[in-house]
Amino acid sequence: MLKNDLAQANINHLGKIIPIAVLLIILISLYSSWYTVDQGERGVLLRNGKIIDTAEPGLGFKIPLMDTVVKISTQTHTANYQGLQAYSRDQQPATLRASVTFSIPPDRVEEVYANFKSVDLMVSRLLDRQVPTQIENIFGKYTAISAVQERIKFGIDVTAAITQSIKGPVTINSVQIENIDFSNAYEKSVEDRMRAEVEVQTQLQNLEKERVSAKIAVTQAQAEADSQLARAIAEAESIRIKGNAEASAIKIRAEALAQNQNLVELTKAERWDGKLPTTMLPTGTIPFLEVPTTK
């Protein structure tokens, strides 16, 4: 009797548990039937491990226990590379730091999963193998000084080389050469050369300044000489004109006196102060006194 009661109790207990378990299974199945894909991602829909479709951003439905969704980012990513060793064309060793910006085209997420399973594995198998090699190859085409002076062109050449060498479901957006570190000895030699060039440029500027100053001084001296010459010419011309005028006046006066003797006597009388001379020569005459002659 007791055993029958226990058995009946277990049956009743199981009768309560089973519906609850079934309900939980149904709820879990319904919950796992839905999935979401964020913007900037694409979903790879797998059924028993086989790719059957890709999912756009938003809400989607899958068969529970059979389908799974692997999300692949299509946003822009950056892979950084530190301590890349390379030699320039003139055999100068350098340590470079670079970064590669890339993205996965949305229509190629199936290839990423099929060949690499994830973006990280794709980077390690594609980019990590090619980026150091291509940077080393391109750097070897530049001299140490040209790699620094033509940094933009160097970066463009590296970007082109990496883009051409990487074959896969990835788009290389850009490559940045963030730093080029040469040996201390080389950097010191560059610093010394630059200092010498600056000194030469300074000397050239000083020479040019002195040349301009000398030219200005010559111009000023020439202007002063021209000014003095002009004054001398003007003064000489003034003297000449004045002398000619005086000579002409004297000539006219002399002609007038020669033609009129009375005018000569009148002039003498005008200039006489009224005093007779105190001494006279035997042959002299008293001015302005004439003794009438007997006819």
Side-chain angles (χ1 to χ4, degrees):
M1 185 69 178
L2 182 58
K3 291 182 178 181
N4 292 333
D5 292 339
L6 290 173
Q8 186 63 40
N10 290 332
I11 292 172
N12 293 337
H13 184 67
L14 289 174
K16 294 179 180 180
I17 293 176
I18 290 174
I20 295 174
V22 171
L23 180 60
L24 289 174
I25 292 173
I26 293 173
L27 291 175
I28 292 173
S29 297
L30 290 174
Y31 179 77
S32 61
S33 298
W34 302 97
Y35 65 89
T36 57
V37 177
D38 293 337
Q39 195 69 37
E41 293 180 333
R42 292 296 185 273
V44 178
L45 186 60
L46 306 173
R47 180 165 296 166
N48 298 323
K50 179 182 179 180
I51 298 176
I52 60 172
D53 200 2
T54 57
E56 297 290 324
L59 183 65
F61 176 80
K62 62 184 178 66
I63 300 175
L65 305 178
M66 293 179 62
D67 295 348
T68 56
V69 177
V70 177
K71 299 175 182 178
I72 304 294
S73 174
T74 57
Q75 295 180 334
T76 299
H77 300 267
T78 299
N80 296 304
Y81 296 90
Q82 309 281 346
L84 301 178
Q85 302 295 320
Y87 280 86
S88 64
R89 192 175 66 193
D90 51 351
Q91 297 302 309
Q92 293 296 333
T95 302
L96 294 87
R97 184 173 73 249
S99 62
V100 179
T101 302
F102 67 93
S103 59
I104 307 299
D107 59 346
R108 303 190 70 179
V109 293
E110 287 188 23
E111 295 180 55
V112 174
Y113 180 79
N115 296 320
F116 308 103
K117 300 299 181 181
S118 68
V119 174
D120 291 340
L121 290 176
M122 184 201 69
V123 170
S124 64
R125 291 174 59 182
L126 285 183
L127 274 68
D128 291 354
R129 293 180 181 180
Q130 289 294 333
V131 171
T133 300
Q134 298 304 323
I135 290 178
E136 181 179 359
N137 291 341
I138 299 301
F139 186 72
K141 297 179 180 180
Y142 285 78
T143 62
I145 191 67
S146 65
V148 175
Q149 293 178 342
E150 303 176 22
R151 177 75 69 87
I152 295 177
K153 184 178 182 300
F154 176 49
I156 293 174
D157 291 345
V158 170
T159 301
I162 292 175
T163 301
Q164 294 174 4
S165 65
I166 294 178
K167 308 298 182 182
V170 59
T171 298
I172 303 299
N173 299 324
S174 67
V175 177
Q176 300 294 329
I177 305 300
E178 298 178 357
N179 186 51
I180 302 176
D181 188 17
F182 293 97
S183 64
N184 293 334
Y186 178 76
E187 290 184 352
K188 186 178 185 304
S189 68
V190 171
E191 182 179 353
D192 293 341
R193 183 166 62 249
M194 294 301 295
R195 186 182 296 110
E197 290 179 1
V198 170
E199 184 176 352
V200 170
Q201 290 298 323
T202 301
Q203 292 178 355
L204 291 176
Q205 291 176 359
N206 291 336
L207 289 174
E208 181 64 16
K209 183 178 179 181
E210 292 176 359
R211 186 185 69 81
V212 172
S213 298
K215 186 175 181 180
I216 292 174
V218 169
T219 302
Q220 292 176 344
Q222 185 64 42
E224 180 64 21
D226 292 344
S227 177
Q228 292 179 359
L229 177 60
R231 288 197 297 270
I233 292 174
E235 185 176 354
E237 182 66 15
S238 176
I239 293 173
R240 185 186 68 79
I241 293 172
K242 184 177 180 181
N244 290 341
E246 291 179 353
S248 178
I250 292 173
K251 181 180 179 181
I252 293 172
R253 187 177 181 85
E255 291 176 352
L257 292 175
Q259 295 175 3
N260 193 343
Q261 188 63 35
N262 291 332
L263 182 59
V264 174
E265 296 301 326
L266 176 60
T267 302
K268 291 180 179 180
E270 288 176 351
R271 293 182 177 181
W272 184 45
D273 56 1
K275 296 179 181 180
L276 294 175
T278 56
T279 59
M280 295 181 62
L281 296 176
T283 58
T285 60
I286 299 173
F288 310 119
L289 296 178
E290 295 185 357
V291 179
T293 57
T294 302
K295 296 182 179 180

